[in-house]
Amino acid sequence: MKIIRYQKDDEIKRGILKGETVFELEGDVFSEFSQDKEVAELEQLKLLAPVQPPNIIAIGLNYRQHAVETGAEIPERPVVFLKATSSITDPAADIILPKLAPEEVDFEAELAVIISKKAKNLETVEVEDYVLGYSCANDVSARDCQKKLDKQWARGKSFDTFCPLGPWIETDLDPNNLKIKSILNGKTMQESKTSDMIFKVEQLISYLSHNMTLLPGTVILTGTPEGVGFAREEKIFLRDGDQITIEIEGIGSLENTVSREL
């Protein structure tokens, strides 16, 4: 099932997408819900980020080959950081290169997990019951802030628009062996499988739930594969006018244009 969040006229609602047709979602997406009346064809609606999360929890260095390309040691436990919730942006919305740090903005294709209900101290075998579904995400990162100016990750990961999410939540998916890629201006930059994750989805959710309460709607970004811009021999960063696409098997494509802050 594909769950979307959309705007029609001045109303923002949730829907269920079947083919290209959107049906209204009746009830609470984090509790009990059902399919209601037909709304419109997808192309007639504005797609929004499928969730407004209470927290965005992200994992660094979680793909083995990405850790290798950065010269980092393979982590013994998940590397956890947070992104500001104000960094969330919609499918097809612009990624804005901020005035403070426009020159080294990088892309990161990520599988996002959306939590369905309050979770604390879960064991891995319990995790499935607490997952609403999965989405595509781009963990956009200002590398000069992250690596040179601040030497920590919070600001460089949290500028406005630095977390494109969507285009929907796919509820029926095995997350552990999916093709994942990023495509910049038609050229594939990252291409891997989620099976290269050091810590699998169920391990991440269990680990995080022992450290903090996971609230309904929490978004967990599960790491990025090799091929990011800053780790290349000839570095590649996002520029005004670029088109960046994140594709994940079984979910779909998240496409955003890049522009400079005015």
Side-chain angles (χ1 to χ4, degrees):
M1 179 187 298
K2 291 178 171 61
I3 299 172
I4 69 168
R5 185 168 155 267
Y6 66 90
Q7 182 174 343
K8 184 181 181 184
D9 301 323
D10 293 328
E11 289 189 294
I12 294 176
K13 293 185 175 182
R14 294 189 186 279
I16 295 172
L17 179 64
K18 291 189 171 182
E20 294 298 315
T21 305
V22 176
F23 297 84
E24 195 167 310
L25 185 148
E26 179 71 23
D28 181 357
V29 73
F30 300 116
S31 179
E32 294 185 4
F33 63 89
S34 60
Q35 177 182 309
D36 201 351
K37 62 186 178 183
E38 182 177 327
V39 176
E41 293 301 292
L42 182 62
E43 64 181 11
Q44 298 174 291
L45 305 174
K46 180 182 178 181
L47 265 183
L48 305 177
V51 68
Q52 294 176 299
N55 285 303
I56 305 170
I57 307 170
I59 307 298
L61 302 172
N62 194 36
Y63 281 71
R64 193 169 299 275
Q65 292 307 312
H66 175 55
V68 169
E69 76 173 347
T70 65
E73 295 182 3
I74 303 299
E76 295 182 2
R77 62 185 63 83
V79 177
V80 181
F81 63 96
L82 302 176
K83 287 174 77 84
T85 56
S86 53
S87 67
I88 287 281
T89 197
D90 302 326
D94 280 9
I95 295 168
I96 308 296
L97 304 176
K99 284 182 179 180
L100 280 175
E103 298 303 326
E104 297 185 16
V105 177
D106 206 346
F107 48 86
E108 293 190 12
E110 307 226 1
L111 174 69
V113 183
I114 293 85
I115 297 297
S116 62
K117 56 185 176 181
K118 188 175 179 180
K120 181 65 177 174
N121 294 333
L122 300 181
E123 299 306 319
T124 55
V125 294
E126 300 176 282
V127 161
E128 185 176 357
D129 291 337
Y130 291 80
V131 174
L132 176 61
Y134 305 89
S135 196
C136 304
N138 191 344
D139 178 19
V140 182
S141 307
R143 299 300 189 190
D144 45 0
C145 296
Q146 179 187 0
K147 296 183 170 295
K148 293 181 288 189
L149 302 176
D150 301 348
K151 298 184 179 179
Q152 52 86 18
W153 297 10
R155 183 170 71 109
K157 297 278 190 175
S158 291
F159 285 102
D160 290 354
T161 75
F162 271 28
C163 190
L165 185 70
W168 40 68
I169 299 169
E170 175 57 63
T171 62
D172 302 313
L173 196 67
D174 178 353
N176 288 321
N177 191 30
L178 304 173
K179 296 176 184 177
I180 180 171
K181 63 170 65 175
S182 62
I183 303 164
L184 179 62
N185 299 326
K187 181 180 179 181
T188 297
M189 308 302 291
Q190 297 173 273
E191 187 169 16
S192 185
K193 285 192 170 184
T194 56
S195 55
D196 191 46
M197 285 185 188
I198 298 164
F199 304 100
K200 304 306 179 189
V201 167
E202 59 269 24
Q203 292 174 292
L204 293 174
I205 296 173
S206 174
Y207 180 82
L208 293 171
S209 77
H210 281 82
N211 288 275
M212 62 193 81
T213 299
L214 304 179
L215 300 172
T218 294
V219 169
I220 300 171
L221 305 185
T222 56
T224 198
E226 76 275 13
V228 296
F230 89 92
R232 292 170 171 267
E233 184 174 346
E234 184 176 342
K235 299 183 190 308
I236 297 175
F237 297 116
L238 297 176
R239 296 290 179 249
D240 187 27
D242 282 350
Q243 303 283 329
I244 181 72
T245 301
I246 309 302
E247 287 186 3
I248 302 180
E249 181 183 7
I251 302 175
S253 298
L254 172 67
E255 301 179 11
N256 298 91
T257 300
V258 180
S259 61
R260 290 182 71 96
E261 184 178 13
L262 298 177

